[in-house]
Amino acid sequence: MSEIKTEYDAVIAQLTVPGSPFELAGDQEQGFYYSNAPATLEQALQAGADHGDREFLVYEGERRSFSDLFNEADAIAAALQANGIVAGDRVALAMRNYPEWMAAFIGAVKAGAVIVPLNSWGSPADLAYSLADCGAKLVFCDQQRAQGIAAELDDSGPQIVIARPDDENDSRGMQGWLAGFAGKKPVTPDVKTDDLAMIMYTSGTSGKPKGAASTHRAICQALVNFDCTAAAAAMCNSDIIGAMLERGFESTSLLAVPLFHVSGCHAQFLVNLRGGRRIVMMYKWDVDRALDYVEQERVTTIAAAPAMLLDLLESPRFDAVDTRSLFALGIGGSATPPRVSRLVQDKVPSSFSGTGWGMTETNAQGASLAGKAFPYKPGSAGFTHPIVQIRICDERAEPLPQGETGEIWVRSPSNIREYWNRPDANREDFCDGWLKTGDIGFLDDEGFLHLADRAKDMILRGGENIYPAEIENELLEHEAIKDVAAIGLPHERLGEEVGVAVYLHPGMALDEEGLNAFASERLAAYKRPTRILFSDEPLPRNATRKILKKDIRARWLEQLGQAG
């Protein structure tokens, strides 16, 4: 056992002893939970209101204090109740990153509603499906989503309220809808800890989106776990934290990922709201604008997908911009490619950077590491969280020995209760409190979690399992390759063969011969790509910056004249 893991275990034990704020209850047989966690999400969010007039949010030149946001949320909650919303009713959010997204979220919670964040990148048909599936009574939209949704809904659909409408006289505009409610408080709803608090729809990259339904207890457990693991990481890296404090920069996060996903909503918005930390929010990812924000607003933390951090760290402007405040880069969404790890250590040395693994279905809980543990195990997703139990299973759901690769199953009080209206998926993915994640990985001899890939993305070539992430990480080491996706393509004899779609850095050149030679030096013969597609445009990604392999595969098969 390494000194790093031993120290972390000792710190967690210290933080979770009886009588401490992070006291753990339960046992190995039934699972663990934080006994002092808030009972409801409204109680958990109250910590944010306590920060008063301190600045919380910077957005496109607009600035809001914690009080500003909570006053707006109170008005929204009162207006919701006046419009007939009662505890348990579903209220949806369908907009890109706006301050109104945050205010509406808090307001819906205060009104006792079940909040339903929708993927704003979804098609109008997808959004309409999710609204109908959850039975939303009202939906807060931006102008673009309002137009798309309205075309798909009939008169029985939810009431639409538009943040920042193009026409200020639009009767559906939020400001008009809130007229007369400024300064008003909602009636305290009757909400229990095991009631539903949120239905967060998955991206729907395969099939219809599924509504991941979480109770108040699950989200509150997740939020307290963020605090506990952050405290543990800080205690294990006191020298790094001390150096950060000496710099004197106010803790400020750049929110560059969508709020409708757990990485934006839970890990950044809600955590920083409760912790009294400032957020600079981007409408959408733009690397040059991100660098401007780092310099102008003295951003200290950026948490994003690996592809976004590659954009940032490989930008020609990175070394020219004043990044002295930048103290931590958080890498999430997928396993950390070695190239990203090296760039982080080179460009932001001695930082509190880290990575982790979690899902919508676990309310972003699972494993994480930061600081000196990051370079120690650069390919790992981190230590298993105190309230999370992980086991690695074979295709028959039987546990595998430590070190063997299989599907990750999770048990935690932060897990969702169910998929909304999906008894089929509930039967398939839940068993005795355990959740089948669809992610492939293993636990090493120190208990660090390592990710291999998504089960659905695994390539089966001649009976051999091939994990695309391994191929992608190796090919990303080529200086000319900016982005790459490995996928399985039909093969008459082998079942599948390895294909790679490649997008090059502008101005750089690489051909099939050169790529094959590079792959031959790094990959076993059966893992090397036999088909290569050079793309003239960036590879398609969803809102959380995950590559849309299904789209790439479909286009490729169409070119080959084969059915999908």
Side-chain angles (χ1 to χ4, degrees):
M1 187 75 68
S2 68
E3 181 180 337
I4 287 176
K5 183 63 164 63
T6 300
E7 181 184 15
Y8 178 81
D9 289 344
V11 166
I12 287 293
Q14 179 183 345
L15 286 170
T16 58
V17 296
S20 71
F22 300 117
E23 176 182 343
L24 280 180
D27 53 40
Q28 191 69 34
E29 185 66 26
Q30 298 298 320
F32 297 95
Y33 63 94
Y34 295 109
S35 57
N36 295 320
T40 67
L41 185 52
E42 194 279 332
Q43 292 176 20
L45 297 185
Q46 181 57 40
D50 294 340
H51 298 297
D53 293 331
R54 290 172 53 196
E55 186 170 83
F56 170 62
L57 183 64
V58 179
Y59 175 79
E60 301 287 332
E62 301 174 19
R63 295 178 185 271
R64 283 171 171 77
S65 68
F66 289 89
S67 292
D68 291 335
L69 186 65
F70 275 88
N71 289 338
E72 186 176 358
D74 280 339
I76 289 171
L80 284 170
Q81 291 179 338
N83 279 269
I85 298 298
V86 299
D89 286 344
R90 272 75 68 200
V91 170
L93 285 167
M95 67 176 87
R96 296 287 286 269
N97 284 4
Y98 279 138
E100 288 84 354
W101 196 105
M102 294 179 169
F105 181 101
I106 300 170
V109 170
K110 283 176 165 283
V114 177
I115 191 73
V116 186
L118 300 180
N119 185 338
S120 67
W121 283 33
S123 68
D126 283 341
L127 294 173
Y129 167 83
S130 297
L131 289 170
D133 183 60
C134 74
K137 287 194 174 181
L138 183 144
V139 55
F140 292 102
C141 300
D142 55 20
Q143 184 68 49
Q144 183 178 349
R145 256 49 61 176
Q147 290 174 192
I149 289 170
E152 295 284 339
L153 298 175
D154 56 29
D155 294 339
S156 64
Q159 179 184 358
I160 294 176
V161 178
I162 306 175
R164 310 190 183 211
D166 291 345
D167 180 0
E168 62 182 18
N169 296 315
D170 191 325
S171 61
R172 301 169 299 171
M174 182 179 282
Q175 291 308 309
W177 182 77
L178 284 175
F181 290 97
K184 291 192 175 180
K185 301 283 187 182
V187 176
T188 302
D190 182 18
V191 174
K192 304 294 191 300
T193 190
D194 288 321
D195 291 343
L196 283 186
M198 181 187 300
I199 302 173
M200 183 171 275
Y201 278 82
T202 59
S203 59
T205 54
S206 57
K208 290 291 186 183
K210 290 187 294 188
S214 293
T215 63
H216 286 267
R217 182 194 303 275
I219 299 174
C220 290
Q221 288 286 321
L223 293 177
V224 173
N225 190 65
F226 277 121
D227 294 343
C228 179
T229 54
M235 291 169 68
C236 291
N237 293 275
S238 57
D239 54 339
I240 298 176
I241 298 296
M244 176 198 72
L245 294 175
E246 287 179 4
R247 297 183 198 178
F249 296 109
E250 179 184 1
S251 181
T252 300
S253 295
L254 182 68
L255 175 57
V257 296
L259 282 163
F260 58 73
H261 190 265
V262 289
S263 58
C265 179
H266 294 42
Q268 297 191 55
F269 166 41
L270 298 182
V271 167
N272 285 327
L273 183 76
R274 281 168 43 81
R277 292 180 290 274
R278 186 168 168 261
I279 288 177
V280 177
M281 182 168 68
M282 301 186 74
Y283 175 74
K284 64 178 181 178
W285 175 245
D286 180 297
V287 65
D288 286 322
R289 186 148 241 198
L291 286 167
D292 290 341
Y293 281 138
V294 170
E295 184 172 65
Q296 295 164 9
E297 298 292 341
R298 298 303 191 187
V299 169
T300 59
T301 303
I302 301 176
M308 298 166 71
L309 294 181
L310 278 176
D311 286 346
L312 184 83
L313 298 172
E314 292 185 332
S315 168
R317 293 186 59 213
F318 187 88
D319 293 330
V321 168
D322 183 355
T323 61
R324 287 175 298 161
S325 63
L326 196 56
F327 169 71
L329 297 177
I331 304 151
S334 61
T336 305
R339 181 163 134 199
V340 176
S341 295
R342 286 197 307 275
L343 281 167
V344 168
Q345 293 169 56
D346 178 47
K347 299 284 189 175
V348 192
S350 301
S351 71
F352 194 54
S353 297
T355 187
W357 170 83
M359 310 171 66
T360 301
E361 288 86 347
T362 66
N363 280 291
Q365 307 313 295
S368 62
L369 53 71
K372 60 190 178 186
F374 182 60
Y376 171 66
K377 286 280 179 90
S380 168
F383 314 109
T384 303
H385 290 154
I387 58 168
V388 173
Q389 293 172 295
I390 288 176
R391 66 185 185 192
I392 309 299
C393 297
D394 62 18
E395 61 276 6
R396 298 181 303 278
E398 294 295 328
L400 291 167
Q402 191 162 11
E404 290 196 22
T405 299
E407 185 165 7
I408 301 170
W409 287 67
V410 174
R411 181 168 68 177
S412 170
S414 66
N415 282 3
I416 63 171
R417 186 175 78 184
E418 62 187 349
Y419 289 116
W420 184 261
N421 289 336
R422 291 296 295 270
D424 54 335
N426 293 332
R427 285 191 299 270
E428 182 177 343
D429 294 341
F430 295 87
C431 182
D432 297 330
W434 290 85
L435 169 70
K436 177 183 179 182
T437 69
D439 280 346
I440 302 295
F442 67 92
L443 291 165
D444 68 17
D445 57 356
E446 292 187 272
F448 286 77
L449 178 67
H450 296 255
L451 303 179
D453 228 309
R454 290 289 293 168
K456 65 182 181 182
D457 290 335
M458 188 173 66
I459 301 168
L460 186 60
R461 178 190 181 277
E464 294 287 344
N465 292 340
I466 300 174
Y467 300 110
E470 179 187 356
I471 298 169
E472 292 158 1
N473 288 343
E474 292 296 340
L475 296 186
L476 271 175
E477 295 297 305
H478 195 291
E479 62 178 4
I481 295 177
K482 180 174 177 60
D483 208 358
V484 60
I487 58 177
L489 294 171
H491 189 279
E492 185 175 1
R493 183 172 61 85
L494 298 172
E496 286 187 309
E497 62 181 326
V498 178
V500 291
V502 177
Y503 177 62
L504 302 180
H505 284 285
M508 302 196 78
L510 181 67
D511 57 18
E512 285 197 23
E513 183 179 357
L515 191 148
N516 283 327
F518 186 79
S520 296
E521 297 173 357
R522 293 173 169 268
L523 294 167
Y526 74 96
K527 297 178 182 179
R528 295 172 198 159
T530 51
R531 290 186 180 272
I532 300 169
L533 174 68
F534 287 98
S535 176
D536 294 330
E537 56 188 27
L539 302 184
R541 291 178 178 271
N542 66 11
T544 57
R545 303 295 293 165
K546 291 181 180 178
I547 291 180
L548 296 173
K549 294 188 177 183
K550 182 181 177 183
D551 291 4
I552 295 173
R553 188 174 188 273
R555 270 189 246 164
W556 207 333
L557 292 177
E558 185 178 355
Q559 291 180 23
L560 294 172
Q562 295 175 272

